[in-house]
Amino acid sequence: MSDCPPLEGRTDTGGPAGLAGLTDLPDLPDLTHLDATPRPVTGPRIARLARQLQGARDAAARDALTEAFWAEAARTGTPLVEELDDAPGHRAVTFLWRGHRATRRVLLLARGITDRDRLADSLLHHLPGTDIWYLGHRLRADHRGSYRMVADISAGAVPADPVLLQRRLLALRAHAGADPLNQDRIPARWRDAQDSVFALPAAPPQPWTGSRHSGVPRGDIPRGTVERHALAAGALGAERDVWVYLPPDAVPYRPAREPGEQDGHRLPLLVLCDGDMWFGRLGLRDTVDALIADGVLPPLAVLAPDAVGTATRRLELGGRESYVSFLADEVVPWASARWPLTGRAERTVVAGQGLGGMTALYAGLTRPERFGAVVAQSPSLWWRPGLEPGAVAPDAVGTPWLATLAAGLRDGLPSGRDGVRGAVVHFDVGLHEGALAEHTEALRAVLRARGHRVTRNVHNGGHDYACWWGFLADALVKLVGTGADASADPGAGPGIGTGPALDVDAAGSQGGTGLTRSSAGCP
């Protein structure tokens, strides 16, 4: 038996010295050998309350027990997270809703937990004689995710037919919102609403995404600037808004290059899909400011075009040459003429999530002379040319189209052509995303065979900004961070591909520090 710890899902939280604010991060256990499948459970607190209610002498005593329960829930916050004697690597997680006389059912919509094809399985149970609705799941203790809830107070009989009930619950989803007793929230996509977030004790820390960083209020960290510019997108046949982040003290509107200037004095670049979400709703500026203030990222610039809306996003993102041309031949040159941005592919990252992740992969593989690194978070590898907009190809059948392209069975992959080095590729994948882990493994094998350096982080979560946010920070630290490993090539300096982290088979699912590395002597 090998003495090496498993690569997939492992983190080394030691890291280079001198990274401010990281020394107090918890030493998280490795739980990857445990089952991460959500399973129904009745938590200890609910079980105890049910017994107390059953033994109560009268209605007044039952009401007192109920009120005490809700006061406790308001004080501790929800969902309830409790240890399990027979499963120390798991937790009982109980979602709660306070109903009233008109409440007929309550639906939980939790990413990575709720099966959208079987919504009835996510209906909360009613504790008889109370206003308490609850649903418990046994989750592995490194789970993080977002969720919404909604109560059905409609009139009429509850559909007995499972098909009709599913239709009713599908319609109910549009009215879902944040958990009133959980103040940890994240903006929802495409809606003026919020989702609730929970993270179990062993979930990856996200030191750069909270309201405070390293004990310092965000307001005390030097602030970069965010501007929104309208850009004529010839490749798309339309105008697009582009969010531009510039770090503190950046010099605006410089010539493309001063005489004799070295590229090392220019800003590394992140090109990020879905700018309207990352900057318009999530406030990515605070995260990048904190990373730079902590010294783990050099000052860098971010270019993030708007996705516009669901329909436009489906039409434009994916493996589409037109959108990659927009990014590579219009957005980057436009910005480079105005700000001191790097011209080196190895210091330029393209990133995205879902269809944006597919776009980032296609951009890095077909334009490696422009984009030297890719961060593909939960990429929509089901995408293939010819799909109707909005259609999803079966995700459990066959090899992903992009893997076929990358293998050279189709034209268009210039990796290694004319001396251009293939892009470094990093994947973030949730355990609860269907066949995506299998598909990224197939693509990873092809890319590695073609000479690309590939890392993959498989985490205990779903298709979720609550996970992507922290892991995007991690990936940037690994790809363009300031902490060059001592084993890097002499004179390589900080930047993409300078340390052994880029050659491991997988990054750790216990991440959050940006310091995942392979162990010496391990494959």
Side-chain angles (χ1 to χ4, degrees), residues 434-515:
L436 185 56
E438 175 187 339
H439 282 174
T440 54
E441 174 60 29
L443 179 56
R444 180 175 66 166
V446 171
L447 294 177
R448 288 175 69 86
R450 292 294 304 270
H452 293 275
R453 290 162 295 159
V454 186
T455 62
R456 189 175 69 153
N457 166 42
V458 180
H459 59 88
N460 190 8
H463 199 82
D464 200 336
Y465 278 99
C467 300
W468 297 331
W469 199 349
F471 288 128
L472 178 61
D474 284 0
L476 291 176
V477 170
K478 283 183 283 194
L479 294 173
V480 292
T482 59
D485 192 275
S487 61
D489 294 336
I496 295 172
T498 60
L502 298 176
D503 295 318
V504 302
D505 282 344
S509 69
Q510 310 284 326
T513 64
L515 303 178

Side-chain angles (χ1 to χ4, degrees), residues 226-230 240-244 275-276 280 304 306-308 334:
V226 174
E227 302 172 352
R228 193 174 183 180
H229 296 265
R240 289 287 177 267
D241 284 351
V242 178
W243 299 77
V244 179
D276 49 328
D306 270 6
V308 181
W334 166 82

